[in-house]
Amino acid sequence: MGQITLDKVTKRFGEVEVIPPLDLEIGDGEFTVFVGPSGCGKSTLLRLIAGLEDVSGGQIRIDGRDATETPPARRGLAMVFQSYALYPHMSVRKNIAFPMKMAGVPEDEQKRRIEGAAKALNLTDYLDRRPGQLSGGQRQRVAIGRAIVREPAAFLFDEPLSNLDAALRVGMRLEISELHERLKTTMIYVTHDQVEAMTMADKIVVLRAGHVEQVGSPLELYRSPRNLFVAGFIGSPKMNFIEGEEAGRHDARTIGIRPEHVSVDPSGPWSGVVAVSEHLGSDTFLHIHETGLCDVMTVRAGGELDVHHGDRVRLSPDLSKLHRFDGQGLRIA
Amino acid sequence: MATQHSRAAARVMISPAVILLLGWMLIPLGMTLYFSFLRYNLLMPGANPFVGWENYSYFLSDPAFQTAIVNTLLLVLGVLLITVVGGVLIALLLDQPMWGQGIVRILVIAPFFVMPTVSALVWKNMFMNPVNGLFAHLFQALGLAPFDFLAQAPLASIIGIVSWQWLPFATLILLTAMQSLDSEQLEAAEMDGASPLARFFHIVLPHLARAITVVILIQTIFLLSVFAEILVTTNGGPGTASTNLTYLVYAESLLRFDVGTGSAGGVVAIILANIVAIFLMRMIGKNLDA
């Protein structure tokens, strides 16, 4: 079990309210991702759930029980830290055994669980090494192993992949997703990387300045962002926003169109000059100036498109994929 | 420093400093060795004949020598124990966020800035004096007989004074080490269910191991040669109760004016200090690797 409910949870540091009253429901077995720009309060929120910070108001319920005042160790949650927080003077085996040792788990049970975790995480050959002798990815797996053996109600991940290089990050992303499929345990994952959020989450919580901007599945957020912030944050490359006359023609203050919904089309209604074309092989990202619509329009075109700096192209938007926003930046349905 | 020419030039240019330092060390050492084989007593001027190992056998068979060795060890170990344990505890306290942290930290460091003779005299006259000392007043206020620290427990008193001087040093080094501990490690241990005491023994103390090693190594070197505190308080007495090796060498050469035996004692002290240093490096020096 691992159902977590936040009821009007508030956090203040002195006079500064970093998290205004916030309600959130995290279902049992869900992979929930908190995503937002740095300083949006997502890590603080995670630490409130973990119990490492005291809430200033409101209630945290874990499996229906009030856990607001429960010390971290008794909440039945395990956390994987950004720096992994491995104990440098202990071997991998002792690191993984530490929470069980503290809980007084019998020796042979400890051994069984360590072996299980080591096998699941490919750490069997490294059990007697120190963390300092491991690579970043291995350390990450030790940190996860230390969390698994506690058999927690929920896992909390605080930007666990931000210290890894790009290739490892993709690999670990898959491993964590697979782990979730296997364990079916609730996971809460904090990241500033919307790609991680999109690829891993069952449910994404987009945060800005402590406010929940939108909660939904990755595709819901992609298809119908509730406001300009979510629209701009989810999706890569970012959505193009167009204001003024062109937006007025669609009865909106701002319209948004994703780069993948604009195509290079000789008969298209918009035109502009190519500033940069990034050829990725599978796709080409065009950065187009002088459209008369916005500063820079990003367009995702086919990979084999042969355009260069200075070429004038005509563009055609897919009007069925157009997002319209009103004066407050809210979505017009 | 890449070319052969520039490397040669560099060698020439650092050679004056190297030669000066080398001479500074080798000449006194050579003279001490030389004197230690002479019958050289300032009270009996005249010929200084070569006497072989005579000075050494006098020095080593002197009953005061054994006392001095024991006292030296007690002094070093006692001060190390007090400063390391006390230093860890004080550093733990100073690491807590509190009002006036900066001032408190400076105050804690202050004893280290007081020169040894002064602090020993302050302790002797203002605290431990059986008539006028603060401790004597305290004892009288409680209706107890004043305790003459320097006469009844001379070595323990000196250990106390020296510990007071070195506690700030240990605290400072251990505090900086404590502040370099990643707070996420403590939080992880907290999540793992470790009590504050378990966190201290499993996380904080192992993290401090290297700093404690540094404190022990540096302090041992200085504590083997404690001298001023003894000279201004007990003069090594009563009898030889607070005489350490350094003080014994001083007593031989400058109280008994026997330069030869004093030199032999100096050489013995050098050898013993090196043995201690080798053992220390063997035992705890491995903490400094990695």
Side-chain angles (χ1 to χ4, degrees):
Chain A
M1 281 296 284
Q3 192 205 21
I4 298 169
T5 311
L6 306 186
D7 187 3
K8 299 204 173 38
V9 165
T10 316
K11 178 65 185 173
R12 278 184 297 272
F13 288 115
E15 291 294 298
V16 190
E17 194 171 58
V18 285
I19 297 186
L22 182 148
D23 294 311
L24 190 66
E25 182 79 35
I26 293 161
D28 182 34
E30 251 180 0
F31 198 119
T32 304
V33 174
F34 294 170
V35 67
S38 56
C40 70
K42 54 193 188 299
S43 284
T44 310
L45 193 57
L46 191 75
R47 292 166 61 81
L48 288 174
I49 296 173
L52 294 172
E53 302 275 358
D54 296 324
V55 296
S56 311
Q59 200 183 45
I60 296 171
R61 284 194 296 277
I62 299 173
D63 290 333
R65 277 192 315 272
D66 182 5
T68 318
E69 300 296 327
T70 313
R74 293 230 206 89
R75 295 191 184 197
L77 309 174
M79 185 150 165
V80 176
F81 290 83
Q82 185 172 6
S83 67
Y84 319 138
L86 300 178
Y87 311 128
H89 55 279
M90 296 184 198
S91 64
V92 169
R93 188 189 303 278
K94 283 191 177 151
N95 260 287
I96 297 177
F98 188 75
M100 296 188 282
K101 194 171 148 195
M102 288 299 121
V105 175
E107 287 277 339
D108 41 337
E109 171 70 9
Q110 282 190 22
K111 211 167 164 192
R112 196 182 60 73
R113 286 203 218 167
I114 292 171
E115 265 152 30
K119 202 182 259 176
L121 295 164
N122 274 328
L123 286 169
T124 314
D125 296 338
Y126 306 106
L127 277 178
D128 293 312
R129 297 215 192 155
R130 296 265 182 104
Q133 297 163 308
L134 301 178
S135 69
Q138 289 164 341
R139 282 182 215 183
Q140 177 70 73
R141 287 205 288 266
V142 176
I144 294 174
R146 195 171 62 184
I148 290 178
V149 294
R150 296 184 55 198
E151 300 178 349
F155 289 97
L156 312 177
F157 292 94
D158 188 4
E159 308 213 14
L161 304 186
S162 56
N163 288 343
L164 300 178
D165 62 53
L168 258 176
R169 206 177 295 180
V170 175
M172 282 309 297
R173 214 161 72 194
L174 282 174
E175 280 189 40
I176 294 176
S177 293
E178 273 169 24
L179 190 72
H180 180 243
E181 291 303 321
R182 215 166 48 225
L183 298 175
K184 305 267 182 234
T185 314
T186 312
M187 290 188 179
I188 304 176
Y189 187 103
V190 162
T191 180
H192 60 266
D193 181 355
Q194 61 90 25
V195 177
E196 278 175 26
M198 291 295 280
T199 50
M200 299 168 84
D202 294 325
K203 182 158 96 184
I204 297 180
V205 178
V206 182
L207 291 160
R208 177 170 60 161
H211 287 279
V212 175
E213 294 286 330
Q214 191 169 2
V215 180
S217 73
L219 282 180
E220 270 169 38
L221 299 193
Y222 178 78
R223 281 200 203 109
S224 40
R226 216 173 66 188
N227 55 33
L228 279 174
F229 177 77
V230 178
F233 198 78
I234 299 290
S236 171
K238 278 178 69 170
M239 189 188 277
N240 300 299
F241 292 116
I242 298 163
E243 291 178 348
E245 203 182 319
E246 182 70 23
R249 214 173 299 155
H250 295 92
D251 299 324
R253 170 67 69 87
T254 310
I255 55 170
I257 184 96
R258 294 192 186 278
E260 51 269 43
H261 299 142
V262 183
S263 49
V264 177
D265 177 359
S267 59
W270 300 342
S271 84
V273 176
V274 175
V276 178
S277 61
E278 297 174 309
H279 294 277
L280 302 183
S282 58
D283 301 296
T284 306
F285 293 127
L286 303 175
H287 299 262
I288 295 176
H289 287 185
E290 296 175 34
T291 52
L293 303 164
C294 53
D295 278 353
V296 184
M297 181 174 285
T298 318
V299 174
R300 180 178 148 191
E304 314 268 327
L305 188 73
D306 191 25
V307 288
H308 296 284
H309 175 78
D311 292 356
R312 182 162 279 277
V313 290
R314 295 200 73 80
L315 305 167
S316 149
D318 179 350
L319 291 177
S320 67
K321 300 281 171 61
L322 200 68
H323 303 269
R324 300 185 303 142
F325 300 95
D326 66 14
Q328 269 90 53
L330 292 176
R331 181 183 188 76
I332 303 171
Chain B
M1 300 289 274
T3 65
Q4 210 163 24
H5 185 71
S6 65
R7 246 177 280 150
R11 267 194 217 117
V12 170
M13 283 193 234
I14 59 168
S15 59
V18 172
I19 288 167
L20 185 73
L21 285 173
L22 212 61
W24 212 278
M25 186 189 82
L26 284 181
I27 292 169
L29 184 66
M31 287 178 74
T32 308
L33 273 172
Y34 172 65
F35 289 150
S36 72
F37 292 108
L38 299 184
R39 180 175 299 144
Y40 186 2
N41 193 319
L42 298 178
L43 294 178
M44 292 179 278
N48 295 325
F50 182 81
V51 290
W53 298 96
E54 194 185 273
N55 287 328
Y56 287 91
S57 72
Y58 275 133
F59 188 80
L60 294 175
S61 61
D62 184 347
F65 172 71
Q66 275 180 22
T67 325
I69 291 283
V70 172
N71 285 346
T72 308
L73 286 179
L74 284 178
L75 183 62
V76 171
L77 294 178
V79 175
L80 280 180
L81 189 73
I82 293 172
T83 51
V84 170
V85 174
V88 171
L89 295 178
I90 295 178
L92 266 180
L93 282 178
L94 290 179
D95 200 28
Q96 310 299 318
M98 60 178 170
W99 189 81
Q101 207 165 32
I103 291 178
V104 170
R105 283 186 189 163
I106 290 172
L107 284 179
V108 167
I109 314 300
F112 204 50
F113 297 138
V114 182
M115 60 182 98
T117 37
V118 173
S119 75
L121 282 175
V122 167
W123 274 93
K124 179 188 177 185
N125 295 323
M126 295 182 70
F127 289 102
M128 293 173 167
N129 188 298
V131 179
N132 302 313
L134 271 181
F135 290 140
H137 285 295
L138 189 70
F139 275 68
Q140 273 171 334
L142 294 171
L144 300 168
F147 186 76
D148 189 354
F149 288 93
L150 292 172
Q152 282 161 287
L155 191 64
S157 305
I158 287 172
I159 289 174
I161 295 171
V162 178
S163 297
W164 180 80
Q165 282 174 353
W166 282 93
L167 202 51
F169 172 79
T171 305
L172 196 64
I173 293 203
L174 295 171
L175 179 63
T176 48
M178 220 172 266
Q179 283 168 338
S180 74
L181 177 59
D182 179 11
S183 65
E184 283 199 343
Q185 270 183 40
L186 286 175
E187 283 173 349
E190 196 181 344
M191 296 278 306
D192 283 345
S195 65
L197 213 60
R199 261 176 277 162
F200 173 75
F201 282 109
H202 287 106
I203 313 293
V204 178
L205 211 53
H207 176 76
L208 291 181
R210 195 187 283 198
I212 291 176
T213 310
V214 170
V215 168
I216 291 179
L217 282 176
I218 293 180
Q219 286 200 17
T220 305
I221 295 167
F222 284 93
L223 294 176
L224 280 171
S225 59
V226 165
F227 173 70
E229 293 85 344
I230 299 176
L231 181 76
V232 300
T233 52
T234 63
N235 267 316
T240 53
S242 59
T243 299
N244 68 354
L245 206 51
T246 322
Y247 194 85
L248 186 65
V249 171
Y250 160 77
E252 287 293 346
S253 36
L254 289 164
L255 297 182
R256 270 163 234 140
F257 300 103
D258 188 345
V259 177
T261 310
S263 299
V267 174
V268 170
I270 291 168
I271 292 167
L272 289 181
N274 277 292
I275 291 172
V276 170
I278 288 167
F279 267 100
L280 269 183
M281 293 306 274
R282 280 272 167 82
M283 275 194 300
I284 59 176
K286 63 177 185 288
N287 266 344
L288 293 175
D289 302 340

